[in-house]
Amino acid sequence: MSILSKLSFKDQAFKLRENAILDATTDILKDKGYDLMTMDDVANAVGISKPSLYKHFKSKEELIGEAMIRLIDGAIDFLDQLDRNLSPIEQISAMLEWALRVRLEGGMPFLPSTSAHVRDMLTRNLKYVARILKLNHQLEKLVSKAQKAGDLNPDLPSDVILFSYYSRTCDPAVEFLQRYSKLDNEAIIQHMLKVCFAGLGGPNHAY
Amino acid sequence: MSILSKLSFKDQAFKLRENAILDATTDILKDKGYDLMTMDDVANAVGISKPSLYKHFKSKEELIGEAMIRLIDGAIDFLDQLDRNLSPIEQISAMLEWALRVRLEGGMPFLPSTSAHVRDMLTRNLKYVARILKLNHQLEKLVSKAQKAGDLNPDLPSDVILFSYYSRTCDPAVEFLQRYSKLDNEAIIQHMLKVCFAGLGGPNHAY
DNA sequence: AATAAAATCTACTACTCAGTAGCAAAATAC
DNA sequence: GTATTTTGCTACTGAGTAGTAGATTTTATT
């Protein structure tokens, strides 16, 4: 047992530090963005040296890719663990609410509306793309059901709904409101949900 | 007259080239983004050398600032030239429609949902901020009127409406739809407008 | 305690790119 | 046609940073 347990203990420590690295990465990424985040930043934040960091991730691209994958996995897990009794629209709404709350509490959007650079990088990352496709597949099914139930507009193409929905999870209006309005986080969430599903129009609007 | 006319001729040529530089900048910015755009890129695209480029703009920040200012000015001009007989909601809608069309035809969003780096840079640019405030002021008035008329939801705080509206002008769903859906540009615009004002919800949605 | 192995660090390389010095060529003046 | 000014260019500097080589320390083994 001794050798095996030692190995697994080491592995555990390794995994633990890997998580600390990803935490730091997500954190720095959040307020510096891809290009301004340096590998030294991450190493310093974790309290290790750069070569040690490279023992875990062989490049900056890989590091950021893994951080993004972890965020997507968080979203997939959230969706999986939702109460199965919730209707499709309730699940869709709960997921957006969760994403907005994560962001307001200092987290990263799991689908960044990022620069060309970052988008290209992630598109080349097959592991990341696979996760996205998985998440997308699940949401497609929910959207389709919600449209049939009349809870999402059946006249809109489902692409339009899906892409618009994704955009809401990383809507910059959230940060604007947090910075420049006096609304508290919960109020912001409720308003963003309302805007997402009911739109900006009032009772007399033509649409 | 000779000296004066020569000077103004020179000035004209200078201005002309300045515009060519800003055109190239906007173009490159559109598909490379701030960090990947180099001053050599811009100089090469215009067909001049880097030092010549620096005769016009004393830094990369200034160059990009001026390009962004020109985009905002375009938006302000568009708003100014709108038919005065249009109702507030019609003006608001027309402006979003215009912004979406510009983007679909290969232009830049005049309000980029950009990285922290770019945001900071623009925030430090007083000239840019002044234009933004001017545009914002005009839109605030329109929003307030449209809310009173019941064409925009009077129950939403006007910040929420304004920031959400800005976000729609640079909504990444537009690029997603252009790339991955079979909708043509006009259909995309109509759907985006509908989503903006009427939301994603269908007839049975609780909101 | 001596040795081997693993982990981690310091100090470096290679490269990109913003910004510039100083030269060359063209235009203008006399 | 020569002198002067303007314009533009080539070729450089310096800063920042991804990624690495090789020394050093720590840990495990006998």
Side-chain angles (χ1 to χ4, degrees):
Chain A
M1 172 198 155
S2 72
I3 287 180
L4 283 175
S5 72
K6 265 175 196 168
L7 276 179
S8 82
F9 178 74
K10 255 192 200 170
D11 280 356
Q12 261 182 291
F14 195 83
K15 260 279 175 265
L16 223 61
R17 191 164 57 172
E18 199 147 289
N19 261 309
I21 292 172
L22 289 174
D23 287 345
T25 303
T26 310
D27 230 56
I28 296 169
L29 218 46
K30 187 189 63 200
D31 47 56
K32 287 198 161 191
Y34 175 82
D35 300 278
L36 286 169
M37 180 192 105
T38 72
M39 294 303 264
D40 288 281
D41 285 341
V42 177
N44 288 336
V46 181
I48 60 176
S49 70
K50 207 156 43 142
S52 298
L53 174 54
Y54 275 87
K55 283 266 188 274
H56 291 264
F57 302 96
K58 72 173 197 296
S59 70
K60 186 177 178 181
E61 290 209 356
E62 183 181 307
L63 172 58
I64 288 175
E66 291 298 324
M68 295 307 303
I69 285 169
R70 216 178 46 152
L71 291 174
I72 297 280
D73 281 346
I76 292 174
D77 287 351
F78 178 84
L79 203 52
D80 281 347
Q81 285 164 21
L82 270 183
D83 185 350
R84 296 311 162 116
N85 297 324
L86 291 180
S87 68
I89 187 66
E90 284 168 332
Q91 292 183 49
I92 290 170
S93 184
M95 172 110 175
L96 176 55
E97 185 174 336
W98 171 77
L100 294 173
R101 186 164 289 120
V102 167
R103 283 176 59 205
L104 282 164
E105 286 165 3
M108 271 268 285
F110 63 88
L111 280 166
S113 80
T114 42
S115 67
H117 194 170
V118 179
R119 184 168 17 82
D120 288 356
M121 185 190 77
L122 292 176
T123 308
R124 284 194 308 274
N125 185 332
L126 295 183
K127 197 170 158 192
Y128 177 83
V129 171
R131 304 301 166 100
I132 288 285
L133 288 178
K134 180 180 174 190
L135 181 61
N136 189 56
H137 181 66
Q138 297 197 35
L139 284 169
E140 260 177 349
K141 283 190 301 187
L142 287 175
V143 164
S144 164
K145 283 184 196 163
Q147 280 187 295
K148 284 192 186 104
D151 291 320
L152 287 176
N153 188 342
D155 298 333
L156 288 170
S158 62
D159 317 43
V160 171
I161 292 183
L162 260 178
F163 291 139
S164 292
Y165 177 74
Y166 292 146
S167 299
R168 292 312 170 270
T169 67
C170 57
D171 196 320
V174 171
E175 273 83 32
F176 283 131
L177 287 171
Q178 195 171 29
R179 191 171 313 187
Y180 300 118
S181 85
K182 293 184 172 172
L183 299 169
D184 64 31
N185 287 357
E186 282 308 312
I188 292 175
I189 291 172
Q190 292 312 317
H191 285 130
M192 294 304 295
L193 287 171
K194 176 125 193 165
V195 168
C196 177
F197 295 110
L200 298 175
N204 301 334
H205 191 271
Y207 277 119
Chain B
M1 174 199 149
S2 71
I3 287 179
L4 284 176
S5 72
K6 265 176 197 167
L7 276 179
S8 81
F9 178 74
K10 257 190 198 170
D11 280 355
Q12 260 181 290
F14 195 82
K15 260 279 176 262
L16 222 62
R17 192 164 55 169
E18 199 146 290
N19 262 308
I21 293 172
L22 289 174
D23 287 345
T25 302
T26 309
D27 231 55
I28 296 168
L29 218 45
K30 189 189 62 200
D31 46 56
K32 287 198 163 193
Y34 175 82
D35 301 279
L36 285 169
M37 181 193 104
T38 72
M39 293 303 264
D40 288 280
D41 285 340
V42 177
N44 288 337
V46 181
I48 60 177
S49 70
K50 206 157 43 146
S52 300
L53 174 54
Y54 275 86
K55 284 265 188 277
H56 291 264
F57 303 95
K58 73 172 196 298
S59 69
K60 186 177 178 183
E61 291 209 355
E62 182 181 308
L63 171 57
I64 288 176
E66 291 298 323
M68 295 307 304
I69 285 168
R70 215 178 47 152
L71 291 174
I72 297 279
D73 282 346
I76 292 173
D77 287 352
F78 178 84
L79 203 53
D80 282 347
Q81 286 163 22
L82 272 182
D83 185 349
R84 297 310 162 117
N85 296 326
L86 291 179
S87 68
I89 188 66
E90 285 169 331
Q91 292 183 49
I92 290 170
S93 184
M95 174 109 176
L96 176 55
E97 184 174 339
W98 170 78
L100 295 173
R101 187 164 287 119
V102 166
R103 283 176 59 205
L104 283 164
E105 285 164 3
M108 270 270 284
F110 63 88
L111 280 167
S113 78
T114 42
S115 67
H117 195 171
V118 179
R119 183 168 17 84
D120 289 356
M121 184 189 79
L122 292 174
T123 308
R124 285 195 306 273
N125 185 329
L126 294 184
K127 198 170 159 192
Y128 177 82
V129 171
R131 303 302 166 102
I132 288 285
L133 288 177
K134 181 180 173 189
L135 181 60
N136 188 57
H137 182 67
Q138 296 196 36
L139 283 169
E140 261 177 350
K141 283 190 302 190
L142 287 175
V143 164
S144 163
K145 283 184 195 161
Q147 280 187 293
K148 284 194 186 102
D151 291 321
L152 287 176
N153 188 341
D155 298 333
L156 289 170
S158 63
D159 315 44
V160 172
I161 292 183
L162 260 178
F163 291 139
S164 292
Y165 177 76
Y166 292 147
S167 299
R168 293 310 170 271
T169 67
C170 55
D171 196 320
V174 172
E175 275 83 33
F176 284 131
L177 287 171
Q178 195 171 29
R179 191 171 312 188
Y180 300 116
S181 84
K182 292 185 171 169
L183 299 168
D184 63 31
N185 287 358
E186 281 309 312
I188 292 175
I189 290 173
Q190 293 313 315
H191 287 312
M192 294 303 295
L193 287 171
K194 177 125 192 164
V195 168
C196 177
F197 295 110
L200 298 174
N204 302 334
H205 192 269
Y207 278 120

